[in-house]
Amino acid sequence: MLKIAVLVSGGGTNLQAILDAIDSGKITNAEVKIVISNNPNAYALKRAENHEIEAVCISPKQFGNREEFHKALLEKLLESKVDLVVLAGFLVAIPPAIVDAFPNKIINIHPSLIPSFCGVGYYGLHVHEAALKRGVKVTGATVHFVDKGTDTGPIILQKAVKIEPDDTPESLQRSVMEKAEWKILPKAINLIANDKITVTDGIVTVND
Ligand code: GAR
């Protein structure tokens, strides 16, 4: 049974998609052991509590400096003995020490087709604003392993979403979530939980 930590910062709709997929059997051999938020007001924490899952806030504001915050986060992950860390709208850059402690064991959902509209500064609504500003006709979402760069790790799954002429950043965000994120994130977790993923020289092969 794959033990998962889900790291969140906001609404937690991707967390909800994971919990629903476990409950409905779309994800097998996996359980969410802990949900960690950097934001005490994240609704995602409430979603975890509703599901009787340990929900903790580890905020940078509780610590004297960034290093201590990172150390507390790493300690909590190690103490929880999780096999996989899922970044589901976690808006904190993962420090190298955590990447080293979980090699190819951290995955992230990003709301664009990487390598478009990703990297430093591209998160949440900003990603969709940039896609609309550039005038692309297709966008989507990507699930990837986390390495020491920003959105540079091996790509696991991607799903494209058509942009409509009247889309706003908000409508596009919702559409990418519904049509791509809530599908490919649970799917990637199920593949990992069932040993269907290998990574060779930075390239993911899905053995489904
Ligand atoms: C999602 O759209 C996710 O892809 C994005 O934040 C949102 C979180 O929503 N993540 C990033 O932009 C990471 N770079 P949620 O809290 O409802 O799951």
Side-chain angles (χ1 to χ4, degrees), residues 52-73:
E52 292 176 4
I53 292 167
E54 183 184 358
V56 293
C57 171
I58 301 178
S59 161
K61 292 183 187 139
Q62 299 161 339
F63 303 92
N65 56 50
R66 208 74 189 162
E67 228 164 73
E68 282 175 27
F69 163 60
H70 289 159
K71 196 162 160 257
L73 192 55

Side-chain angles (χ1 to χ4, degrees), residues 12-32:
T13 63
N14 278 286
L15 166 67
Q16 192 66 52
I18 296 166
L19 297 175
D20 292 348
I22 291 175
D23 288 349
S24 70
K26 281 189 185 152
I27 297 177
T28 56
N29 294 324
E31 62 169 331
V32 177

